[in-house]
Amino acid sequence: MSPNVDHYNRRITYLRVSVTDRCNLRCIYCTPVNDLKLLDHANILSYEEILKVIQVATELGMKKVRLTGGEPLIRKNFVHLVASVCRIPRIEDISVSTNGVLLKKMARPLFEAGIRRINVSLDTLNPRKYAMVTGRDCFDDVWEGLEVAEAVGFSPIKLNVVAMRGINDDELFQFADLSVQKPYHIRFIEYMPIARGGNWRPQKYISSDEIKSKLNTFGSLHKIPRSIHAGPARRYRFKSARGEIGFISALSHHFCPSCNRLRLTADGKLRPCLLADDEIDIKTPLRNGCSQEDLKRLLSKAIAEKPREHHAEFLKRGQCLRPMVAIGG
Ligand code: SAM
């Protein structure tokens, strides 16, 4: 069997790397309200360590890397990491997830470092609501950052919108209109109950199907065939729109059978499934001078331990222990 194929015949080609657990926002759905425990700097993987893991992962057949966080743009010299990852030969696709607060000044350096695709989290188009959701009054910074990213040439620019009833479900048409006016790919993400003590309540959850049927009253949504860059999103477009609409339905239409991901947390844990807390420590062996072959074995173990699906286990326990800000999404 090929080294990156798991027990359920899924080919694992996508590594999501969290470069920090720190974030300059405090989003209600992502960061625990009271007990946010930050890692000591000594416990965060260095760029050299991250690069070593990515390099070995490519030798196992990984082709796609996303750099995430916390907020990756706040880590010192992040652009250098990006440039180094872009130089790793076997990587076919590299992207960054950001909240966009620092994008205005960093979009160009990131583009020059080799990144072409970017995901920006933006859950509301209302500046006051933005401050309520994220805890910071930064809407204009993100908006200006998006404009610079567009001008610099990023494509696609995806906007991640966590759909929350009573919070942003009154803005569906504004987002729909944005997808018509701008070349942005709006991704509605189902709100997941992550992080104990978090803000998630069953009443706040809205399924993708409900959003889609509301958007169909704005205009007809035309299905777009899947592409390699689309990931698990089901994609649509309004007639004559410059951008598109996508739905990421981790709860209502879970995509475990086609999951191709492995995650590396900022503190050096390989996480086989987003929503399961079983992890494999790779930092200790790395710091004890393990060989490339040992690293390969650990990555293979993580691939082998990918559960068939998160659903049963996750829904039984309700929430996973790590908050999203410490996983990376
Ligand atoms: N700081 C970066 C950002 O804002 O995109 C990267 C990290 S953030 C954890 C990655 C993604 O996870 C964001 O798009 C965010 O919306 C999503 N996310 C966080 N908590 C979530 C939750 N409870 N349910 C669904 N998506 C969530």
Side-chain angles (χ1 to χ4, degrees):
M1 190 160 63
S2 173
N4 64 338
V5 173
D6 76 359
H7 290 309
Y8 307 100
N9 218 22
R10 295 172 297 199
R11 190 171 292 279
I12 313 306
T13 52
Y14 184 6
L15 185 66
R16 293 171 77 108
V17 180
S18 171
V19 302
T20 177
D21 64 333
R22 286 160 168 73
C23 189
N24 44 357
L25 298 182
R26 291 288 176 271
C27 299
I28 49 177
Y29 51 77
C30 186
T31 309
V33 197
N34 298 318
D35 61 341
L36 178 61
K37 294 187 190 72
L38 292 176
L39 295 166
D40 291 338
H41 282 290
N43 283 326
I44 293 180
L45 291 186
S46 67
Y47 286 160
E48 290 69 27
E49 289 166 334
I50 290 175
L51 286 166
K52 227 182 235 178
V53 177
I54 297 177
Q55 172 68 45
V56 169
T58 64
E59 288 163 25
L60 283 177
M62 304 259 184
K63 295 179 168 48
K64 181 170 170 179
V65 171
R66 172 175 300 279
L67 300 172
T68 175
E71 173 49 36
L73 271 53
I74 64 174
R75 183 156 172 188
K76 217 168 145 194
N77 294 330
F78 178 63
V79 173
H80 293 296
L81 175 71
V82 168
S84 307
V85 176
C86 289
R87 282 195 292 271
I88 297 178
R90 276 179 279 241
I91 294 178
E92 294 171 4
D93 187 33
I94 157 163
S95 53
V96 170
S97 287
T98 173
N99 57 34
V101 171
L102 298 179
L103 202 52
K104 189 175 166 186
K105 74 168 195 275
M106 288 190 65
R108 185 171 293 281
L110 284 170
F111 192 85
E112 284 168 359
I115 296 269
R116 295 292 175 266
R117 308 193 311 104
I118 199 150
N119 285 38
V120 179
S121 298
L122 188 63
D123 307 302
T124 171
L125 299 172
N126 172 327
R128 263 186 300 139
K129 215 190 276 181
Y130 182 91
M132 190 273 283
V133 170
T134 66
R136 304 283 187 272
D137 187 10
C138 295
F139 177 85
D140 291 344
D141 297 315
V142 181
W143 193 255
E144 287 167 25
L146 280 170
E147 288 185 331
V148 176
E150 194 183 329
V152 160
F154 278 97
S155 176
I157 295 174
K158 295 186 184 172
L159 295 195
N160 286 354
V161 181
V162 177
M164 295 168 279
R165 196 183 303 284
I167 296 182
N168 57 4
D169 55 336
D170 57 343
E171 294 184 59
L172 298 180
F173 284 10
Q174 277 103 307
F175 279 111
D177 191 48
L178 186 63
S179 83
V180 174
Q181 308 299 335
K182 291 277 201 179
Y184 300 157
H185 294 197
I186 316 277
R187 295 280 188 260
F188 291 104
I189 303 177
E190 287 184 344
Y191 189 0
M192 292 182 279
I194 292 198
R196 286 182 204 286
N199 193 267
W200 193 89
R201 303 283 174 278
Q203 312 82 271
K204 290 195 177 146
Y205 165 79
I206 321 176
S207 71
S208 298
D209 288 349
E210 183 179 335
I211 297 173
K212 183 164 171 274
S213 74
K214 287 188 171 151
L215 289 178
N216 263 321
T217 64
F218 174 89
S220 306
L221 281 168
H222 303 277
K223 201 166 176 25
I224 302 174
R226 289 180 66 86
S227 85
I228 52 154
H229 296 320
R234 290 176 294 140
R235 301 165 60 206
Y236 300 85
R237 175 174 283 135
F238 291 108
K239 195 163 180 251
S240 314
R242 297 178 68 202
E244 57 177 74
I245 297 284
F247 301 99
I248 302 191
S249 324
L251 297 187
S252 65
H253 297 269
H254 72 94
F255 29 83
C256 305
S258 59
C259 180
N260 60 353
R261 302 165 177 200
L262 198 62
R263 290 177 169 79
L264 175 65
T265 65
D267 57 342
K269 304 286 191 307
L270 290 169
R271 195 172 166 99
C273 169
L274 169 66
L275 297 175
D277 284 310
D278 307 290
E279 297 175 343
I280 293 170
D281 177 22
I282 200 165
K283 179 174 88 242
T284 310
L286 261 173
R287 294 192 176 172
N288 288 339
C290 75
S291 66
Q292 300 266 101
E293 283 312 306
D294 292 334
L295 275 185
K296 251 186 216 170
R297 265 192 291 278
L298 287 166
L299 281 156
S300 301
K301 184 167 183 303
I303 290 171
E305 288 184 9
K306 268 183 82 66
R308 180 198 291 271
E309 57 183 42
H310 63 248
H311 246 215
E313 176 64 7
F314 173 64
L315 292 181
K316 205 165 42 184
R317 283 182 300 159
Q319 296 181 327
C320 57
L321 293 173
R322 255 190 206 267
M324 196 68 126
V325 67
I327 304 174

